[in-house]
């Protein structure tokens, strides 16, 4: 069996690295395609070095664009790869535009698709990722789920449960594999901060950063929180562009930084007092680490991080954010537990399923 693994954008790398490495360990005939949806060195290249993932065998260099043009560019370029290399299975991860595009390309060529992180639903179709998730799952032959809620969602949509496998969380595999090294590098001390004496912020959702009013409110809230403790804010390129265009400034105790390499961010997250974020992956990573997470959204596709973990939906209202900061700093935040199968062995379970599927 020849497997084509796909990566595209920052959150894919930590999900796919353990899956690719497990296939290498099992001696699969596999190759790696990078669509190039993310291309800056600190959004892409750096993750390969740190995660020990093989370099891509094929780079599609699609770059940025509107949803249609980016998706179309991946469809066209990936079709050529599939026709030339004839994989027996295409493995995609997460919910970015390239995930959908590669799944669709493969399905049209009658190549089976495996989806890592299947079944997550925010039930908010205004999120581009929700559309990508739903369509990718319906095109997939093997669906690898991270949590029980995903099984319920897929069942409700009529997806045959024989195709669905609860394997756990590959992003948590990467986290456990690299945590000691990340913390050992002491990134907070290098920024002059005390462990547990600072918070981390990330913002990149179009609904939070594309329009002036929500972004201004969130910057005000972050500035307010920085009066309680210093805040480290690695800025996504989408957000940096908007902050610059709107000339929004941050308070003195908000430390703006470039997007961070994986190990630096993980080391900082593991020692943060709390995290304010609109990312999906960080909701999971903070739950795995037991760090309080305030999600700056009205919904989440990862409800287990709330029902079991340390995540809470706070939205973007500055008074709710201030109250949540207060709750953490006064010790009123749930400790949470790590969900079942978020144990560092998800990729091994995927490898097991793939081996069984090959010899079916
Ligand atoms: C994408 C994903 C989102 C994921 C996020 C993680 C989609 C629909 N969105 O959003 O689900 O959470 O990645 O980061 O797939 N840019 C650069 N350098 C890069 C990449 C992007 O400067 O390496 C800039 C470009 O101006 C680009 C903008 O960021 O237009 C947005 O990039 P894009 O990949 O379209 O979406 P993200 O916001 O990164």
């Amino acid at each position: 069996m020849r497997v084509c693994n796909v990566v595209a954008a920052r959150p894919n790398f930590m999900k796919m690295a353990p899956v690719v490495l497990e296939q290498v360990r099992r001696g699969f005939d596999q190759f790696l395609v990078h669509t190039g949806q993310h291309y800056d060195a600190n959004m892409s290249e750096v993750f390969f070095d740190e995660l020990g993932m093989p370099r891509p065998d094929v780079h599609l260099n699609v770059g940025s664009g509107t949803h249609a043009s980016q998706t179309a560019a991946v469809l066209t370029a990936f079709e050529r790869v599939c026709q030339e290399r004839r994989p027996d299975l295409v493995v995609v991860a997460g919910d970015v535009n390239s995930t959908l595009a590669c799944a669709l390309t493969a399905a049209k060529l009658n190549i089976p698709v495996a989806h890592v992180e299947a079944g997550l639903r925010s039930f908010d179709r205004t999120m581009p990722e929700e559309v990508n998730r739903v369509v990718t799952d319906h095109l997939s032959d093997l669906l690898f789920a991270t949590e029980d809620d995903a099984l319920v969602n897929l069942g409700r949509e009529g997806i045959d449960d024989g195709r669905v496998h609860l394997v756990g969380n590959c992003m948590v595999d990467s986290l456990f594999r690299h945590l000691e090294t990340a913390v050992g590098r002491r990134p907070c001390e290098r920024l002059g901060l005390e462990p547990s004496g600072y918070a981390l912020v990330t913002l990149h959702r179009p609904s939070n950063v594309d329009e002036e009013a929500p972004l201004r409110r969130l910057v005000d809230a972050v500035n307010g929180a920085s009066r309680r403790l210093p805040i480290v804010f690695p800025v996504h390129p989408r957000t940096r562009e908007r902050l610059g265009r709107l000339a929004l400034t941050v308070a003195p105790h908000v430390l703006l930084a470039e997007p961070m390499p994986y190990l630096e961010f993980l080391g900082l997250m593991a020692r943060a007092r709390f995290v304010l974020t609109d990312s999906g992956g960080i909701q999971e990573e903070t739950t795995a680490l037991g760090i309080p997470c305030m999600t700056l959204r009205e919904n989440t596709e990862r409800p287990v991080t709330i029902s079991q973990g340390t995540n809470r939906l706070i939205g973007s209202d500055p008074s709710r954010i201030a109250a949540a900061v207060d709750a953490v700093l006064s010790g009123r935040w749930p400790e949470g537990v790590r969900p079942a199968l978020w144990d560092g062995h998800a990729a091994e379970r995927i490898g097991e399923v793939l081996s069984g599927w090959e010899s079916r």
Side-chain angles (χ1 to χ4, degrees), residues 76-87 105 109 111:
T76 311
F78 189 60
E79 185 178 54
R80 268 195 300 276
V81 175
C82 289
Q83 283 167 334
E84 279 162 19
R85 296 196 170 225
R86 305 237 149 250
T105 305
L109 293 171
I111 301 168

Side-chain angles (χ1 to χ4, degrees), residues 11 37-40 43 64 67 96-97 129 204 236-238:
Q37 178 170 340
H38 283 176
Y39 42 85
D40 287 347
M43 298 288 284
S64 302
H67 285 281
V96 301
N97 285 343
E129 294 81 1
H204 76 284
H236 186 283
R238 177 190 280 277

Side-chain angles (χ1 to χ4, degrees), residues 162-348:
R163 285 149 59 191
V164 181
H165 303 268
L166 180 64
V167 293
N169 193 319
C170 293
M171 190 173 244
V172 175
D173 289 10
S174 284
L175 184 147
F176 284 151
R177 196 167 295 180
H178 299 287
L179 183 59
E180 204 181 314
T181 311
V183 171
R185 292 189 181 182
R186 303 178 173 275
C188 68
E189 285 90 334
R190 281 195 281 115
L191 292 173
L193 301 165
E194 297 284 325
S196 299
Y198 63 94
L200 258 182
V201 174
T202 80
L203 282 175
H204 76 284
R205 289 282 155 213
S207 57
N208 278 337
V209 306
D210 281 5
E211 302 296 328
E212 176 169 357
L215 183 57
R216 198 176 275 284
R217 254 189 337 184
L218 285 167
V219 169
D220 283 349
V222 169
N223 286 341
S226 76
R227 286 195 280 276
R228 312 286 306 271
L229 79 178
I231 292 190
V232 183
F233 183 2
V235 189
H236 186 283
R238 177 190 280 277
T239 312
R240 184 172 290 278
E241 192 270 327
R242 304 301 193 277
L243 289 174
R245 188 146 46 82
L246 297 167
L248 292 177
T249 51
V250 295
H253 293 297
V254 180
L255 180 65
L256 293 183
E258 290 299 312
M260 290 182 175
Y262 180 66
L263 293 177
E264 185 175 3
F265 189 77
L266 176 56
L268 276 178
M269 187 164 47
R271 291 291 175 267
R273 188 72 185 274
F274 62 87
V275 179
L276 284 157
T277 190
D278 59 8
S279 152
I282 293 171
Q283 295 173 50
E284 297 183 339
E285 290 170 328
T286 45
T287 274
L289 292 164
I291 300 288
C293 179
M294 299 163 203
T295 292
L296 306 171
R297 290 171 45 189
E298 301 298 336
N299 55 51
T300 180
E301 59 288 338
R302 295 161 158 93
V304 77
T305 60
I306 295 176
S307 59
Q308 297 186 33
T310 52
N311 183 28
R312 294 295 177 269
L313 290 179
I314 305 298
S316 57
D317 176 353
S319 63
R320 277 179 71 193
I321 297 171
V325 170
D326 214 53
V328 172
L329 296 183
S330 56
R332 290 178 287 114
W333 199 268
E335 287 190 1
V337 294
R338 196 155 24 87
L341 304 183
W342 290 25
D343 57 359
H345 300 287
E348 289 161 41

Side-chain angles (χ1 to χ4, degrees), residues 42 44 55 102 124 156 192 194 199 244 303 316 328 340:
N42 57 4
S44 172
R55 296 274 143 183
C102 292
D124 174 4
R156 198 186 295 123
E194 297 284 325
S316 57
V328 172

